[in-house]
Amino acid sequence: MIPGKFDYYAPTSVDEAIDMLVTHGSEAKILAGGQSLIPAMRYRLAVPEVLIDINGLTDLNYLKQVNGHLAIGAMCREVDLEESDVVQSQYHLLADAAEVIADPLVRNQATVGGNIAHADPANDHPAVMLAYDATVVAKGPSGERTIPIDSFFTDLFESALSEQELLTEIRIPTPGANSGGAYVKLERKVGDYAIGAVAVQLTLAADGTVAAARIGLTNVYYMPMRATGAEAALIGQDPSDEAVLEAAGIAAAAECDPSADLRGSAAYKRDVIRTLAKRAITKAVERAR
Amino acid sequence: MAIYHDPSKPKHVADRVEIKTKVKDGASAEVPTTHDVTTTTPKEICGIGHRMKRKEDPRFIQGKGRYVDDFKLPGMLYMDIVRSPYAHAKILEIDASEALAMDGVLAVITGKDLEAHGLHWMPTLMSDTQMVLPTDKVVYYAQEVCAVIATDRYTAADAIEAVYVDYEPLKPVVSPFDALKDEVIVRDDKEIRTNRIWHWEVGDEAATDAIFDSATTVIKETMYIPRIHVSSIETCGMVANYNPATEKMQIYMTTQAPHAVRTVFALVTGLPEQKIQIISPDIGGGFGGKVPVYPGYVIGAVASLLIGKPVKWIEDRSENLQADSFARDYHLEAEMAADENGKIVGLRVNGLADHGCADSAANPSKFPAGLFSICTGSYDMKAAHVNFDAVYTNKPPGGVAYRCSFRVTEAVHMVERLTSMMAHELGVDPAAYRMNNFIKPEQFPYESPTGWEYDSGNYHAALEKAMEMIDYDGLRKEQLEKRERGELMGIGISSFTEVVGAGPAKDYDILGIKMFDSAEIRVHPTGKAIARFGTKSQGQGHETTYAQIIAEVLGIPALDIDIEEGDTDTAPYGLGTYASRSTPTAGAAAAMAARKIKAKARKIAAHLLEAHEDDLEWNVSQWQVKGSPDKAKTIQEIAFAAYTDHPDDLQAGLEATDYYNPPNLTFPFGSYICVVDIDKGTGEIHIRRFVAIDDCGNIINPLVVEGQVHGGLTMGLAPAMYEEIVYDENGQCLTGTLADYLVPTAVESPKWETGHTITPSPHHPIGAKGVGESPTVGAPPAIANAVVDAMWHLGVRHIDIPITPEKVWQALRDAGVTE
Ligand SMILES: Cc1cc2nc3c(=O)[nH]c(=O)nc-3n(C[C@H](O)[C@H](O)[C@H](O)COP(=O)(O)OP(=O)(O)OC[C@H]3O[C@@H](n4cnc5c(N)ncnc54)[C@H](O)[C@@H]3O)c2cc1C
């Protein structure tokens, strides 16, 4: 449980960090909260030769409401979400998730940026950001660009970020009127990754039917996934109708593809997704009303 | 320092229960049960019964404990271990050249190197043998293959990656049922080619069969008590410090049984025993996992001996979880018989023990399946028979007595599950059913059908108290109402009997060393004292409770008495701390040694007071002339005189030693009630309430007992719902980190509601019994019974622990219930 040898750099500005990424390329890894990277290094599953510690980039440690979205800086920690009034009052889906990610010790250290950049389908934020239709801001040697979340995750632990890019910000559109969201997670014990979890963000039409809905699923696919079938089963329908909920739950269960492991059999996980989808939708609808 | 925790104001009652009437083997005819803890000493003295805060805690909660890894000796080297990626494989070659070429690497030790000294194998506590390092083949995943010695930890960790081992994988045998077929043989070194280790039977088979043949109701269930790990916060480790000049081997190691380890080291290595010193410093949890000697200890000691420098070895978490001794792993097929009145009349058990690649259980020698035959539990029945086999498999060796007096946990789970099943089967409330089947208070001392003599008990009183505390009748009403609405709620009971305190020396030994224990007390001239013991606390609070026992007898304030354990050069010989044996043995020795001092103090007092000994009486902390308390000598005055003004016919000093051999074991008991609500959608179990009534005889310190019970209950919750060591079909351990070996935390733990009844042990000098393990033993069946109770009406009969949400979900879906 002792990592291999590595060189350690602590840049003091974003540009300096990008210069280092350019210099060291694929040998380098960014170190944010370290809560995913360091365990991997201790097991020598990750053996980076160079660590670029961005904890000194305090200008990336922000969480603010601007121009119709919530801007989450790359060094914003999970605990900051829990302690933010804006998040607690307007971003219920995010607030739900912030409470069930890992445990308080990990949340004091882990960053939202790292959680997304790691592109781990077991992490909770990918499904949350997919449901929110968030945007990722990245900065590299040729400047800044924005990446829609739908094209951010490309494979297991793979994202659209290039080796020379730093994730600097995540933007979540501020939910409009009659919108609500919820995150429902089943875990074996505190600090565990999800057996399965469902993120829902939806908007109701004046007649109470679902006008728009996005659903993300956690840890039931080889990469972060959206449950578009479940979304389709919901849009235009009355979400207080038990049959509609059931149809959305069944669709989500059908489109995920969990693997059997110590958290449960594939059949169990699918059925958990069915149940949790119904519960998350119901909760989101309550909040939208 | 505020030494006192006083929410409930214990009463000062002079006439505490003193039990003297010994009948046979230390049993007494009548032992009354009481509810209040009483004291005979004032707070300033803090004798028995006081809620004294633990003396050891200030150093622990300030991070000032001293554990093995805190010892850093000059010139110290570090050891790291190369481990097998296969559960069964031939070793074709070990090429350490690249590792040896690294800066800072001093040596790579292989099985062949140890073979040269005859140390590649070592004996286990069950007189089996276990590899230290392999010369031909590995027999479990994560087995030690060779060890690197380097100048620092980091180099050692890098070097083990640079050792190349060429393996030829062999087919492993993972299931104990497959092992019985003897197709794959785990131990080629044995003369007979079989995986069978031993066969063991207890009870009268013919009488039991006859009872079953004539029984009205027989129920039968197969149960698996899964393989689990103690997973103490501190892993195993040592600093071996051989001094070539003095030829003395000093070993700091995290062991629960330092003296036994010293003797075994002497016998195995041939080093003279006076040249071996084992020092067990503060221990971060033992729970039975630190009784055995692991290969790393032998390799580290050999490395220090050969190199002549101190060598440190500290396991990491994964090594600890994957390679150290497991506990439990019993496959049981159990039957219970009832007569036409529904009365339990018989019990029949077939068991298969999976020991992994060696029987390195930590049982007393004569008991291959430990004290499993206590399995008739709290119930009076006519006959019982237990039939056991044990096999080798390609898994790490074991199994240790994880917070359990040698296999009692397995026995209690089985009998408590069966008793609840029988009650349900007969349509009787499980609480009423227990009341009707308990051994009655007047039957003690009770002779069980498997040969135990229970010292004292009052099972009705404990269950009644638990039912009252939790409002049992109200809960049953609520359950019916909920069931009408399709909601699932369950109430589970466990009324366990423990058997602890090994042991009477005639029956109990570890590798031939009798299971007595010891205390040595020295009172200094100023009336302060030091006492040393053969046991070794790992969190049990000995520094406090032993001091209280001595304070009770001698009237010296408990804060004036230092307790030392763990250094074999200074402590009297003893067998160590496990199996809830410290209070029954060393605690008794403390009282007996203190009584010897008190007797000598009387002679000195008589001399000082110019009175006759017979004219003196004891009063809390002084000897006084009968009827005239102003003519008195305090224990402090007497202590000073023992060195300055003792009578001519007495030797100086005020010291005593006692090696206590208990006349019988003690039999703590309790009744636990658990209430669960079940989520039909996910299968999650929510423990709503858990009431635990324990009876451990006289209570030395209620605060310490509550602490032991809280911790123990959480360790009972663990296997009931979370923990299991899992292997795949290749024998690879899938639960080698705390991400997958699920140790419950405060978040998972329900609010434990505790209480007690007091039924003293008639044969123990202070009427105490031992409590550390009762909750670990008693809790799992209460939880399992509650879950099944919630689903019995759906046709669910049994679910093996750990009861995970998926198992509940499966049972519900099989019964056609869904959300
Ligand atoms: C015990 C435990 C339990 C956990 N449970 C959960 C859980 O239930 N749910 C959950 O979602 N997560 C869980 N986690 C993971 C935790 O939330 C991680 O911290 C998170 O996934 C990564 O954030 P980090 O800041 O620690 O990133 P790091 O570990 O520092 O980095 C992770 C990866 O992202 C890269 N990276 C980080 N920041 C940037 C950036 N700004 N730009 C480009 N690349 C970057 C790193 O190079 C690395 O590859 C758990 C972790 C632990 C230790």
Side-chain angles (χ1 to χ4, degrees):
Chain A
M1 299 254 269
I2 291 177
K5 279 200 174 108
F6 54 86
D7 289 334
Y8 173 85
Y9 294 97
T12 51
S13 73
V14 170
D15 289 342
E16 196 188 345
I18 291 167
D19 283 349
M20 288 171 177
L21 281 172
V22 171
T23 311
H24 298 288
S26 60
E27 285 147 28
K29 274 268 175 209
I30 298 279
L31 176 70
Q35 300 301 298
S36 289
L37 184 55
I38 289 178
M41 288 172 64
R42 281 173 161 275
Y43 285 105
R44 301 200 176 200
L45 298 171
V47 213
E49 287 172 25
V50 175
L51 275 192
I52 302 172
D53 181 350
I54 59 168
N55 283 273
L57 306 187
T58 43
D59 48 337
L60 291 184
N61 186 3
Y62 57 85
L63 178 66
K64 57 189 179 205
Q65 183 95 296
V66 278
N67 303 334
H69 65 256
L70 180 73
I72 304 174
M75 285 312 297
C76 172
R77 317 258 176 195
E78 299 290 351
V79 64
D80 300 331
L81 302 181
E82 285 178 274
E83 290 173 356
S84 153
D85 290 341
V86 174
V87 171
Q88 296 300 324
S89 61
Q90 292 185 50
Y91 298 85
H92 295 122
L93 164 56
L94 187 61
D96 281 358
E99 247 178 47
V100 294
I101 288 172
D103 55 45
L105 281 78
V106 172
R107 293 201 292 268
N108 284 338
Q109 198 63 27
T111 64
V112 185
N115 197 299
I116 294 295
H118 197 45
D120 183 349
N123 275 357
D124 294 296
H125 279 303
V128 170
M129 298 306 167
L130 284 166
Y132 268 130
D133 198 9
T135 301
V136 173
V137 183
K139 200 168 176 196
S142 47
E144 195 175 273
R145 65 174 179 134
T146 56
I147 310 167
I149 197 74
D150 279 338
S151 52
F152 183 78
F153 302 109
T154 55
D155 204 339
L156 174 66
F157 302 132
E158 298 285 343
S159 76
L161 286 178
S162 85
E163 273 171 10
Q164 303 186 339
E165 274 180 321
L166 191 70
L167 181 155
T168 52
E169 187 179 290
I170 299 158
R171 294 177 185 160
I172 299 179
T174 305
N178 304 319
S179 294
Y183 191 64
V184 180
K185 172 177 177 178
L186 180 67
E187 57 187 6
R188 296 174 299 175
K189 59 169 270 199
V190 66
D192 190 22
Y193 292 93
I195 295 171
V198 180
V200 176
Q201 183 65 30
L202 51 72
T203 308
L204 297 179
D207 64 356
T209 59
V210 177
R214 288 175 64 101
I215 299 178
L217 305 181
T218 300
N219 216 7
V220 285
Y221 198 56
Y222 77 95
M223 60 181 269
M225 80 170 278
R226 241 179 96 187
T228 48
E231 293 169 7
L234 214 51
I235 292 169
Q237 305 294 320
D238 175 3
S240 55
D241 181 348
E242 181 58 36
V244 169
L245 287 175
E246 188 66 28
I250 288 173
E255 60 198 311
C256 68
D257 188 16
S259 43
D261 57 20
L262 291 176
R263 289 191 178 78
S265 63
Y268 175 57
K269 291 180 181 181
R270 271 186 206 279
D271 199 53
V272 162
I273 288 295
R274 182 185 63 86
T275 303
L276 299 189
K278 294 195 293 179
R279 293 180 185 178
I281 294 165
T282 305
K283 207 166 159 190
V285 168
E286 275 166 23
R287 286 168 171 170
R289 282 198 184 122
Chain B
M1 182 174 72
I3 57 161
Y4 213 70
H5 178 84
D6 190 6
S8 61
K9 287 252 161 70
K11 295 170 211 157
H12 290 230
V13 185
D15 56 340
R16 68 180 297 109
V17 205
E18 276 240 340
I19 302 112
K20 288 180 193 121
T21 33
K22 284 197 179 168
V23 184
K24 58 165 177 165
D25 255 13
S28 104
E30 217 174 272
V31 183
T33 298
T34 56
H35 292 267
D36 295 326
V37 180
T38 60
T39 54
T40 61
T41 56
K43 262 188 199 180
E44 298 68 46
I45 291 177
C46 261
I48 292 175
H50 283 283
R51 295 178 71 86
M52 183 184 182
K53 283 194 190 171
R54 299 203 323 173
K55 288 164 61 184
E56 45 271 77
D57 283 347
R59 83 170 177 276
F60 289 139
I61 62 178
Q62 293 178 81
K64 290 179 180 165
R66 226 156 129 63
Y67 301 91
V68 160
D69 203 10
D70 293 321
F71 289 86
K72 296 185 176 66
L73 304 182
M76 192 167 74
L77 305 172
Y78 290 82
M79 180 171 93
D80 208 338
I81 294 177
V82 176
R83 291 178 182 271
S84 170
Y86 298 102
H88 199 189
K90 256 199 199 137
I91 296 177
L92 302 178
E93 194 201 348
I94 298 176
D95 178 358
S97 50
E98 192 181 316
L100 284 167
M102 291 170 69
D103 268 355
V105 174
L106 277 89
V108 174
I109 299 173
T110 65
K112 294 255 182 331
D113 299 325
L114 294 184
E115 192 175 16
H117 303 270
L119 289 173
H120 56 316
W121 286 84
M122 63 178 181
T124 72
L125 293 178
M126 294 310 290
S127 301
D128 195 355
T129 52
Q130 180 183 343
M131 276 182 235
V132 177
L133 284 175
T135 48
D136 310 300
K137 73 167 188 174
V138 287
V139 287
Y140 62 95
Y141 173 75
Q143 184 181 339
E144 299 80 357
V145 173
C146 61
V148 170
I149 312 294
T151 48
D152 66 280
R153 232 172 225 180
Y154 303 92
T155 305
D158 287 345
I160 61 168
E161 302 268 304
V163 175
Y164 294 100
V165 185
D166 194 6
Y167 299 94
E168 178 188 319
L170 301 169
K171 188 174 159 29
V173 56
V174 182
S175 145
F177 297 100
D178 289 344
L180 283 172
K181 296 180 207 153
D182 281 340
E183 287 163 9
V184 172
I185 301 293
V186 178
R187 297 289 297 264
D188 305 321
D189 57 295
K190 301 267 175 185
E191 246 164 65
I192 307 168
R193 285 185 61 79
T194 178
N195 291 321
R196 288 171 188 267
I197 313 176
W198 45 258
H199 176 84
W200 183 68
E201 289 182 39
V202 184
D204 186 334
E205 185 173 17
T208 307
D209 288 348
I211 291 274
F212 271 82
D213 289 345
S214 63
T216 310
T217 314
V218 172
I219 55 164
K220 181 173 182 171
E221 189 57 63
T222 50
M223 298 179 199
Y224 176 49
I225 315 294
R227 181 176 274 239
I228 54 174
H229 198 282
V230 302
S231 57
S232 48
I233 302 253
E234 182 199 29
T235 60
C236 290
M238 78 182 318
V239 179
N241 179 27
Y242 182 69
N243 182 335
T246 60
E247 294 179 346
K248 184 150 182 172
M249 175 66 91
Q250 190 186 45
I251 297 176
Y252 296 87
M253 70 186 265
T254 170
T255 174
Q256 298 174 233
H259 286 94
V261 166
R262 185 188 70 195
T263 303
V264 173
F265 253 93
L267 294 174
V268 171
T269 61
L271 285 179
E273 197 168 354
Q274 86 279 12
K275 295 290 188 191
I276 305 172
Q277 179 187 16
I278 308 290
I279 300 170
S280 188
D282 284 334
I283 296 184
F287 310 112
K290 289 174 180 169
V291 175
V293 168
Y294 295 107
Y297 288 128
V298 179
I299 311 167
V302 170
S304 178
L305 194 67
L306 295 180
I307 300 173
K309 284 192 170 184
V311 174
K312 178 181 274 190
W313 166 64
I314 304 288
E315 275 178 339
D316 70 27
R317 178 64 56 196
S318 288
E319 293 179 291
N320 180 258
L321 285 174
Q322 291 175 344
D324 284 5
S325 286
F326 67 91
R328 325 284 192 246
D329 212 345
Y330 267 17
H331 294 265
L332 303 173
E333 198 181 77
E335 292 171 280
M336 184 178 264
D339 66 13
E340 66 280 6
N341 301 318
K343 174 94 190 44
I344 301 172
V345 284
L347 190 72
R348 196 156 57 186
V349 188
N350 280 309
L352 181 62
D354 180 348
H355 274 284
C357 68
D359 184 356
S360 51
N363 300 320
S365 305
K366 283 190 203 165
F367 300 85
L371 312 186
F372 184 89
S373 62
I374 191 72
C375 61
T376 56
S378 308
Y379 310 101
D380 184 21
M381 60 184 82
K382 291 179 180 150
H385 183 249
V386 179
N387 188 48
F388 248 95
D389 284 290
V391 289
Y392 294 124
T393 56
N394 287 113
K395 290 185 225 158
V400 296
Y402 171 1
R403 207 166 178 166
C404 140
S405 191
F406 318 118
R407 307 295 189 178
V408 183
T409 317
E410 292 89 326
V412 164
H413 195 76
M414 185 266 310
V415 72
E416 286 305 310
R417 280 290 302 118
L418 284 185
T419 303
S420 281
M421 284 175 78
M422 182 65 95
H424 283 303
E425 191 68 38
L426 298 171
V428 184
D429 179 89
Y433 191 66
R434 282 179 167 77
M435 291 289 192
N436 288 333
N437 281 283
F438 280 150
I439 299 160
K440 297 184 182 68
E442 60 272 22
Q443 286 177 277
F444 290 90
Y446 171 80
E447 190 94 35
S448 91
T450 49
W452 299 100
E453 190 181 285
Y454 294 14
D455 60 346
S456 64
N458 187 342
Y459 304 148
H460 299 78
L463 181 54
E464 258 163 38
K465 192 162 185 175
M467 290 170 71
E468 205 175 290
M469 229 166 112
I470 207 162
D471 182 20
Y472 187 78
D473 296 338
L475 287 169
R476 283 288 176 204
K477 252 209 235 137
E478 182 192 342
Q479 184 187 32
L480 278 183
E481 289 162 16
K482 289 223 157 114
R483 201 168 282 170
E484 295 283 299
R485 297 201 295 271
E487 292 170 36
L488 299 177
M489 163 187 170
I491 305 155
I493 304 174
S494 161
S495 294
F496 63 91
T497 290
E498 256 264 74
V499 47
V500 309
K506 68 178 168 17
D507 290 325
Y508 297 86
D509 67 82
I510 298 274
L511 289 175
I513 307 166
K514 299 293 189 186
M515 295 184 75
F516 55 82
D517 229 294
S518 60
E520 179 205 278
I521 307 171
R522 298 183 185 174
V523 184
H524 303 319
T526 53
K528 318 286 176 183
I530 184 165
R532 295 190 171 109
F533 293 82
T535 48
K536 174 64 207 170
S537 180
Q538 314 119 46
Q540 289 88 343
H542 291 175
E543 289 170 46
T544 307
T545 50
Y546 286 163
Q548 286 184 267
I549 294 172
I550 297 167
E552 175 76 20
V553 178
L554 291 179
I556 299 174
L559 276 182
D560 287 350
I561 305 165
D562 267 15
I563 304 297
E564 267 187 23
E565 300 173 294
D567 183 338
T568 56
D569 271 9
T570 54
Y573 203 96
L575 268 282
T577 293
Y578 41 86
S580 287
R581 65 185 299 277
S582 296
T583 294
T585 58
M592 300 308 268
R595 285 176 192 176
K596 289 178 193 170
I597 289 176
K598 188 169 157 184
K600 183 171 182 185
R602 182 181 203 161
K603 291 192 194 320
I604 298 170
H607 161 73
L608 297 176
L609 293 166
E610 293 174 354
H612 192 275
E613 257 190 81
D614 294 344
D615 294 332
L616 300 185
E617 62 182 359
W618 180 255
N619 181 12
V620 183
S621 57
Q622 62 184 23
W623 280 113
Q624 63 192 33
V625 176
K626 279 181 191 164
S628 38
D630 50 323
K631 288 196 71 185
K633 287 291 167 190
T634 66
I635 187 71
Q636 287 80 7
E637 288 167 333
I638 296 168
F640 199 70
Y643 298 87
T644 57
D645 183 18
H646 53 92
D648 294 337
D649 57 347
L650 264 190
Q651 292 190 345
L654 201 54
E655 304 182 0
T657 304
D658 192 81
Y659 281 74
Y660 188 79
N661 175 25
N664 188 8
L665 292 127
T666 66
F667 296 75
F669 58 93
S671 267
Y672 296 170
I673 305 183
C674 171
V675 186
V676 299
D677 297 298
I678 287 176
D679 183 326
K680 285 189 292 187
T682 59
E684 280 169 285
I685 302 158
H686 300 283
I687 298 182
R688 192 201 311 173
R689 288 189 69 189
F690 196 110
V691 163
I693 301 298
D694 272 286
D695 192 321
C696 59
N698 283 336
I699 292 175
I700 299 163
N701 180 333
L703 192 60
V704 170
V705 167
E706 283 158 25
Q708 289 286 301
V709 172
H710 276 238
L713 289 171
T714 308
M715 285 190 132
L717 168 71
M721 289 176 57
Y722 300 98
E723 296 180 8
E724 179 173 9
I725 306 177
V726 183
Y727 295 87
D728 70 10
E729 65 281 5
N730 299 316
Q732 301 254 345
C733 179
L734 302 179
T735 46
T737 75
L738 291 179
D740 285 310
Y741 189 77
L742 303 178
V743 178
T745 69
V747 177
E748 285 74 35
S749 307
K751 179 176 188 296
W752 305 117
E753 301 171 60
T754 62
H756 59 255
T757 54
I758 300 170
T759 311
S761 167
H763 63 75
H764 187 276
I766 56 167
K769 284 189 172 183
V771 74
E773 302 170 333
S774 291
T776 322
V777 168
I783 296 168
N785 283 341
V787 174
V788 174
D789 184 75
M791 301 195 287
W792 184 273
H793 64 292
L794 302 173
V796 177
R797 293 293 172 265
H798 175 73
I799 303 178
D800 272 335
I801 56 170
I803 307 186
T804 59
E806 182 174 12
K807 287 185 187 169
V808 173
W809 171 87
Q810 191 63 56
L812 289 169
R813 296 302 178 269
D814 290 348
V817 177
T818 186
E819 180 182 282

